[in-house]
Every structure is written in C-alpha cells, then in structure tokens.
Amino acid sequence: MAVKASARNISSNFQNQSGHNSHIDWNDYNFPPLLKIIHFTLGDFYEPERGVIKKLFISWIILLAVCTWNILSTIVLVATIDPGIHVLFTILNWVLFVSFGTYVFYLGYYGIAKRENKKIFYYKIG
C-alpha cells in the first residue's frame, strides 16, 4: 500500500515538473546580444533558480572579459616585443573559449529551466 502511494507521488512529481517553466518562449532567440543563437531571459525565473542562473551568467561575463583582456594585452605585447602570430592565436583562443563557454552556459541554463539532470551534469563537467 505504501509502495503504491509513493509511486503515485513520484508520478505526480514528474507530471508537475513537465510543466515547469512552460511559460518560457524557447524560440525567442536573444542571446548572445549580437549573434542571438539561444534564448536567455533572467526574468523568466523565480528564486532560487534566478540566483543560480544569475551566477551562471556572471561566470560567462567573466569568461568574456578575461578572453577580451587577453586579446588587448597580446596586442600591446606584439606592439612592443612579441611576434605578430600571437595575436592570431589569441583571437582563435577567444573564439574557441567563448563559443565553448556559451555552450556550457546554455547547458546549465537549459538544464535548470527544464530540470534535466543530464544537462546539469554536462554543465558541471564543462
């Protein structure tokens, strides 16, 4: 009897989670600002999800700032002492790291929004 009751509770929890954040328009592509590849709106969430997603976004901003600072500092070094090929390597690193960072950010964001443990696990790995 208790097993059937707990099975019903688990089943109803999954049914409630399927509608979790169903108000989000995933076809409204608005992020990153210039490319608009994925949907990201912090206002779609309530606490405590909003706090976690805000931290994900801040980590993406930090990644973007560090990669951009790397380009600027490399340009200064090339102007003074380093060979010019380092600018090419730095730009390629920016493209790779920011692209991968955006994908990892999306995995975490989407995983939290849809409560998909697999995507959250991939975010933790990335």
Side-chain angles (χ1 to χ4, degrees):
M1 199 65 143
V3 174
K4 287 183 181 180
S6 64
R8 277 188 227 126
N9 287 339
I10 292 171
S11 167
S12 66
N13 284 343
F14 282 132
Q15 289 172 356
N16 290 339
Q17 286 181 359
S18 65
H20 183 72
N21 290 326
S22 60
H23 64 281
I24 298 174
D25 182 14
W26 292 105
N27 293 322
D28 178 23
Y29 303 117
N30 58 358
F31 186 81
L34 298 176
L35 299 176
K36 299 182 180 186
I37 298 172
I38 62 175
H39 172 76
F40 172 70
T41 304
L42 194 57
D44 289 341
F45 296 95
Y46 305 105
E47 292 297 334
E49 293 171 337
R50 182 180 294 193
V52 173
I53 292 173
K54 190 182 291 186
K55 289 175 185 160
L56 293 176
F57 180 64
I58 289 171
S59 68
W60 183 81
I61 293 292
I62 290 171
L63 173 71
L64 185 67
V66 167
C67 288
T68 303
W69 177 255
N70 187 26
I71 288 177
L72 296 174
S73 63
T74 302
I75 289 172
V76 169
L77 285 174
V78 164
T80 56
I81 56 173
D82 276 348
I85 193 72
H86 290 289
V87 174
L88 176 64
F89 292 148
T90 302
I91 291 171
L92 291 175
N93 283 336
W94 189 91
V95 169
L96 290 173
F97 288 139
V98 171
S99 298
F100 182 70
T102 302
Y103 178 67
V104 169
F105 165 75
Y106 176 71
L107 286 176
Y109 170 73
Y110 190 77
I112 291 171
K114 293 288 190 173
R115 292 187 178 174
E116 291 185 12
N117 291 332
K118 189 174 183 180
K119 295 213 186 287
I120 294 172
F121 176 72
Y122 289 153
Y123 170 77
K124 289 178 182 178
I125 290 174

